[in-house]
Amino acid sequence: MGRYEDCLETINRQMALLAEPSADLLVSRAKLQLLRGESRRAFDDVQQALEIDNTHLQANAVMQKLQQQAADFKEEAIDLQLQGKFSEAIIRLSSSIAFHPDIANSYFLRGSLYRQRHDLNSAICDYRTATRLSRKDDPEIKRHLLVSLNDLALECFTSGAYKEAIRLLGHAIELEKQEVRLFINRGDSFLRLDDLNSALADYQQAFEMDSNDSEIQQRLAAAHSAHARHLYERKQFSLAEDELTKSLIFSPLNADYSLQRAKVRYNSQFF
């Protein structure tokens, strides 16, 4: 190992003296890094060497070696996945990615394994990388990323981490602005934080996408009722009545909203 360190230091000193990187030196350093088990650094050096000279024989040879090793690890990972050995499969895919970190499908496969193990943070990280590396807008990768973001947001919501749920759902909405459920779930998180304006905005957006959904209508009614309660406490009776009227538009058979509005109207006579 000491010899490798000395050789690496020599190559690094030589490269530091050059105005431009040398493909030969990059390949030599990559070979040493492979011997040290640093496959990711080796890949970066070989890739840079090929950017300088894509016909460089040794650089192409080392790249082929890296690609083959990555393919072998991925094949092993798939076999392990089929056997239900998810932890071992993840380790093999991680090795595959280390040898060739620019393959979107490798991150997608590992992300799917993380999801099966309910490690949603790691799954989201891999799906994001797969999305970035994919040369086209792959709908399957995007869908898995959206589902993972939503699932993790729901876990945060259940545990009371509403701000984190809002952050995650915001990322999901950036990816897909036509998914009604994302707006509903984020609205629920805003409502738990008593951010009624934001909750109403999300529920309204969901309603505009699907005005026949009774679940959305009930949420809008509840949010307007909550807003009315705050206005009533501040003795803004006219505005509170308006909010309860909106609640009844979305939920006309709800007796509680009718009673609340009647109470507001009655008390407004004394102020």
Side-chain angles (χ1 to χ4, degrees):
M1 185 64 72
R3 293 201 319 267
Y4 299 151
E5 290 285 352
D6 292 341
C7 292
L8 278 173
E9 287 182 11
T10 299
I11 291 173
N12 288 334
R13 283 197 299 269
Q14 290 175 340
M15 291 182 69
L17 297 173
L18 300 175
E20 298 291 337
S22 162
D24 289 338
L25 289 175
L26 285 166
V27 172
S28 296
R29 187 168 69 177
K31 290 178 178 179
L32 285 170
Q33 286 164 339
L34 278 176
L35 291 171
R36 286 161 50 88
E38 297 175 348
S39 51
R40 177 58 188 266
R41 290 184 175 180
F43 176 87
D44 290 340
D45 275 352
V46 173
Q47 189 175 54
Q48 187 178 359
L50 289 172
E51 289 172 359
I52 296 169
D53 180 5
N54 61 11
T55 65
H56 195 285
L57 293 178
Q58 290 189 50
N60 278 289
V62 176
M63 181 59 79
Q64 288 178 8
K65 180 179 178 180
L66 291 168
Q67 291 171 341
Q68 185 58 55
Q69 188 64 67
D72 290 344
F73 276 125
K74 184 186 289 187
E75 187 175 344
E76 291 177 18
I78 292 171
D79 288 340
L80 289 165
Q81 180 183 15
L82 293 173
Q83 297 172 43
K85 298 177 180 179
F86 300 136
S87 295
E88 293 91 333
I90 288 172
I91 292 171
R92 293 297 192 283
L93 278 170
S94 297
S95 297
S96 178
I97 288 168
F99 276 94
H100 201 306
D102 284 356
I103 305 297
N105 179 256
S106 298
Y107 292 95
F108 175 72
L109 290 174
R110 191 173 67 175
S112 298
L113 287 169
Y114 280 132
R115 275 203 70 203
Q116 288 179 302
R117 291 178 57 79
H118 305 291
D119 184 351
L120 293 174
N121 278 309
S122 297
I124 288 168
C125 183
D126 272 355
Y127 288 144
R128 283 188 181 280
T129 304
T131 301
R132 176 175 56 81
L133 291 174
S134 181
R135 294 179 182 177
K136 59 181 181 180
D137 188 12
D138 190 314
E140 187 178 8
I141 294 175
K142 180 179 177 182
R143 189 67 191 170
H144 277 76
L145 176 55
L146 286 173
V147 170
S148 296
L149 284 167
N150 185 64
D151 286 351
L152 185 56
L154 290 176
E155 286 189 6
C156 291
F157 181 89
T158 302
S159 65
Y162 304 121
K163 290 183 179 179
E164 180 63 12
I166 289 167
R167 186 186 69 81
L168 290 164
L169 289 164
H171 288 316
I173 288 169
E174 287 176 8
L175 290 169
E176 179 53 74
K177 294 180 172 60
Q178 299 303 315
E179 184 63 52
V180 175
R181 175 51 58 181
L182 298 175
F183 286 97
I184 293 174
N185 291 343
R186 191 172 69 172
D188 290 347
S189 296
F190 279 127
L191 193 62
R192 289 297 182 93
L193 291 174
D194 214 25
D195 186 347
L196 297 177
N197 288 328
S198 297
L200 281 166
D202 273 353
Y203 292 151
Q204 186 62 41
Q205 182 65 42
F207 179 74
E208 289 173 7
M209 288 189 279
D210 188 358
S211 59
N212 295 317
D213 190 317
S214 61
E215 183 182 353
I216 299 171
Q217 294 169 3
Q218 293 304 315
R219 278 170 161 77
L220 276 165
H224 281 296
S225 174
H227 196 198
R229 185 170 60 254
H230 287 296
L231 293 167
Y232 178 81
E233 290 170 355
R234 295 197 294 267
K235 296 183 173 53
Q236 295 177 278
F237 300 118
S238 177
L239 293 176
E241 181 180 341
D242 290 343
E243 288 298 299
L244 286 165
T245 298
K246 292 175 184 177
S247 292
L248 286 164
I249 290 172
F250 291 111
S251 185
L253 301 180
N254 190 305
D256 285 340
Y257 298 148
S258 295
L259 288 171
Q260 289 171 30
R261 187 172 66 174
K263 177 182 177 181
V264 169
R265 286 174 173 172
Y266 176 78
N267 284 299
S268 66
Q269 301 175 66
F270 304 103
F271 292 90

